[in-house]
Amino acid sequence: MNRRRFLGIGASVLGAGALVAVAVPSAARLFAEGRPGRLLSSELDLPEAFRVPLPVPVVLKPVRTEGTTDYYEITQQVAKLEILPGVRTEAWTYGGSFPGPTVVTRSGRTTVVKHRNELPVPSVTHLHGGHTPADSDGYPVDLLLPVGSSADAAQGAAGKAGPAGMPGMAGMPGMHHAAGRDIVGERSYTYPGRQRAATLWYHDHRMGFTGPGVWRGLAGFHLVQDDEEGALPLPRGERDLPLMIADRSFAADGSFSYPSSDPALGEPGVTAAYANGVLGDVILVNGAPWPRLDVDRLRYRLRLLNASNARLYRLELDPQPAGGDALVQIGSDGGLLASPVAHDGIEIAPAERFDVVVDFSRYEPGTRVRLVNRFGTGRTAEVMCFDVSAKQVTDDSSVPDKLATVEELSSSAVVTTRDFTFRRSRTDGWIINGERYQPGQSIATPALGTVERWRFSSDLHHPVHVHLDHFQVIGRNGKDPGPYDAGWKDTVDLRPAEAVEVLVRFTDYAGAYMLHCHNLEHEDMAMMADFTVQ
Ligand code: C2O
Ligand code: CU
């Protein structure tokens, strides 16, 4: 970094004029590290940053509660939303909003969510990070067909084949699959709640069309709470904020723009130029572009979720508080860490969650604290801002040194070691262990109750996600885990030419589950595999 750029970074704290200067070193790094994706530029003027207040998704109320079960209902529907000020965007939504409503459940209680599909396309709902029986896990060919679809449509859908480029893809948009269990109109997903407190999210998982489905709005938070976490003096209520960070691009008419190879969505996949992932030029937090939030000089809990299709972020606060360590991580994908880990910045890949506490009393009253993305350039280097108030307040929250009891899986318990390679093939798209995804074709059969060592290796960046059970990262390239690997994870970012080792124990539910890349363009273009727990 030369001196001039360095000065540019300093100046940017004072105003927006130096944003491009901030971007230069990140761009060099981005190229050097081979981050995936290609920028899709919006065709309309983008709004200024830090004008729109941060929205917080509503918490969904149960329609009924009985004994140990809570029942919820969500209607998947097309909605016209004002995402960019003064611009109407047609979205595919859970319940009419993007993000969808937040589902808050209690560990130990069963949650039943009835989804009704009023979208123009089939859907599949997956609870990401959920410890879920196979028939409610959102297997990608278990389609929920739109209300009013005829039994014929369901029939016609059966038996047709897989993801991009496979035979049998013609017919009704998105209706092709093999061996799926079609349901028309409404279906219930059951989540038994046998898992600890954690920040989960739900999103569309339809075979071949997860990328466009999530891009158009099909994503929401699902928070699990429990007594262990509830007993801690962490910030709560309005100071416990889920933040869904997602990049999007907009067409001239205000619609979401997405480079589907078939704009009618009859065929999955994106045009060749975007095969490595679609990057938007607008950064949304909870569905609002570069929003702002007034904060008091108190601790806030920020549940960071990267719901982007392909974009990786390095999130930092700017300015950093004196002494650094602004982002105190208390949890990861699978809930609380044993003890907090302080970071100056957090690198977050698609689908990962980092639960952090920020103490805004470390800033002078009146400070504008920007949440920035050091991997971004220009507008994508900004995320949101916090304006620190001058109000006199006292904080009743704290971050204890011991957060939770976290069992450590031990390598000595491993019964089987398996290797999974993630790479691009010249002829077959994105593949795992040399194969394109084939529903029903299992590449691993772990036994219920056992611990396995899974080794993931990659050519490029791939955020690898395993359904059913969380795992623990025990090494990267034969060395110790990285700074963002702590705790129970369900998604881990593989960097180019990297091998990551994890331990996972398969518990409670037998059946067919997925492991896949969570770069949604890679996923839709076949970088998925089934494993069957027996
Ligand atoms: Cu977040 Cu299999 O997905
Ligand atoms: Cu990938």
Side-chain angles (χ1 to χ4, degrees):
M1 192 187 299
N2 68 33
R3 184 171 156 77
R4 187 155 167 205
R5 285 176 198 158
F6 185 74
L7 289 175
I9 290 173
S12 72
V13 173
L14 305 173
L19 290 183
V20 174
V22 172
V24 174
S26 318
R29 202 151 101 193
L30 180 132
F31 186 72
E33 294 185 12
R35 279 213 171 74
R38 170 187 285 238
L39 190 73
L40 177 63
S41 293
S42 292
E43 294 163 347
L44 34 68
D45 288 338
L46 302 183
E48 269 179 64
F50 315 143
R51 291 295 172 90
V52 185
L54 174 78
V56 178
V58 294
V59 173
L60 192 63
K61 293 200 179 58
V63 290
R64 127 183 102 88
T65 259
E66 251 170 40
T68 56
T69 306
D70 304 311
Y71 296 87
Y72 295 86
E73 289 178 7
I74 293 177
T75 299
Q76 303 172 2
Q77 57 193 264
V78 173
K80 293 258 190 200
L81 305 178
E82 185 175 344
I83 296 173
L84 303 179
V87 175
R88 293 272 141 191
T89 301
E90 187 175 292
W92 291 350
T93 69
Y94 294 113
S97 65
F98 169 55
T102 300
V103 179
V104 180
T105 65
R106 200 84 210 154
S107 177
R109 290 186 65 81
T110 299
T111 301
V112 177
V113 185
K114 182 159 85 181
H115 281 267
R116 176 180 168 82
N117 183 358
E118 294 185 358
L119 297 170
V121 292
S123 71
V124 171
T125 306
H126 170 58
L127 176 57
H128 182 120
H131 184 53
T132 308
D135 59 0
S136 280
D137 193 48
Y139 190 66
V141 294
D142 285 350
L143 300 182
L144 175 60
L145 305 181
V147 275
S149 307
S150 65
D152 276 3
Q155 268 297 319
K160 292 190 183 171
M166 299 183 79
M169 300 304 286
M172 257 179 106
M175 293 286 192
H176 26 261
H177 64 118
R181 293 157 283 200
D182 287 331
I183 295 179
V184 176
E186 293 182 346
R187 67 157 293 169
S188 290
Y189 294 89
T190 299
Y191 308 118
R194 298 174 70 163
Q195 63 185 114
R196 60 203 295 261
T199 303
L200 316 181
W201 63 301
Y202 61 100
H203 62 77
D204 196 54
H205 210 303
R206 175 162 62 110
M207 176 74 155
F209 298 95
T210 298
V214 172
W215 187 268
R216 289 180 185 219
L218 293 172
F221 279 101
H222 182 127
L223 311 180
V224 181
Q225 303 181 325
D226 67 11
D227 294 344
E228 185 182 43
E229 184 184 84
L232 297 174
L234 297 169
R236 54 181 82 235
E238 288 181 354
R239 291 194 283 132
D240 175 355
L241 292 165
L243 299 180
M244 178 188 286
I245 301 172
D247 59 342
R248 295 291 184 267
S249 299
F250 296 85
D253 64 359
S255 62
F256 285 121
S257 102
Y258 187 80
S260 293
S261 50
D262 173 6
L265 296 188
E267 300 284 335
V270 290
T271 56
Y274 291 90
N276 199 12
V278 182
L279 305 178
D281 58 1
V282 176
I283 307 296
L284 304 177
V285 184
N286 293 346
W290 301 286
R292 60 175 293 279
L293 178 71
D294 287 313
V295 293
D296 290 324
R297 298 182 68 231
L298 296 169
R299 289 184 191 82
Y300 284 71
R301 176 177 183 174
L302 309 177
R303 301 175 188 251
L304 304 168
L305 158 66
N306 181 356
S308 307
N309 283 31
R311 183 179 288 281
L312 288 123
Y313 300 77
R314 179 178 167 91
L315 300 174
E316 290 182 14
L317 293 181
D318 190 351
Q320 295 269 352
D325 284 347
L327 303 168
V328 178
Q329 187 189 354
I330 56 168
S332 59
D333 303 337
L336 290 174
L337 306 181
S339 7
V341 179
H343 303 272
D344 285 335
I346 283 184
E347 296 181 12
I348 183 168
E352 284 187 303
R353 284 88 70 212
F354 286 84
D355 201 334
V356 302
V357 172
V358 173
D359 185 355
F360 289 103
S361 75
R362 298 178 69 192
Y363 291 98
E364 291 304 316
T367 310
R368 168 161 284 184
V369 182
R370 292 150 53 236
L371 182 66
V372 298
N373 169 27
R374 295 294 184 209
F375 289 161
T377 57
R379 300 300 308 271
T380 64
E382 298 282 353
V383 178
M384 67 174 288
C385 80
F386 302 93
D387 287 320
V388 180
S389 85
K391 222 195 296 167
Q392 285 285 349
V393 282
T394 42
D395 203 340
D396 54 355
S397 73
S398 61
V399 179
D401 290 339
K402 178 164 172 22
L403 294 165
T405 306
V406 178
E407 177 199 2
E408 264 188 51
L409 296 180
S410 152
S411 302
S412 62
V414 166
V415 298
T416 308
T417 297
R418 301 181 201 270
D419 287 293
F420 301 93
T421 60
F422 292 76
R423 64 181 186 84
R424 184 172 192 173
S425 134
R426 290 220 169 273
T427 49
D428 291 327
W430 298 98
I431 52 177
I432 301 177
N433 286 359
E435 300 275 356
R436 300 171 56 78
Y437 180 56
Q438 284 271 26
Q441 184 180 300
S442 224
I443 67 166
T445 50
L448 205 53
T450 62
V451 176
E452 297 202 352
R453 176 190 290 110
W454 282 15
R455 285 200 293 241
F456 305 128
S457 59
S458 61
D459 52 355
L460 301 167
H461 267 279
H462 298 293
V464 172
H465 172 47
V466 179
H467 286 210
L468 180 61
D469 279 293
H470 288 86
F471 53 75
Q472 292 176 349
V473 179
I474 57 164
R476 281 188 184 256
N477 278 351
K479 304 206 184 71
D480 285 344
Y484 312 109
D485 292 336
W488 287 104
K489 300 275 297 163
D490 58 46
T491 308
V492 63
D493 190 45
L494 306 190
R495 291 171 299 190
E498 199 168 44
V500 172
E501 281 195 12
V502 308
L503 298 181
V504 52
R505 181 171 52 209
F506 299 91
T507 57
D508 294 324
Y509 309 113
Y513 291 92
M514 328 273 321
L515 79 151
H516 61 86
C517 180
H518 219 290
N519 173 315
L520 298 183
E521 283 71 46
H522 297 186
E523 172 177 343
D524 282 346
M525 292 185 289
M527 197 171 247
M528 298 204 287
D530 281 1
F531 65 92
T532 304
V533 181
Q534 305 188 311

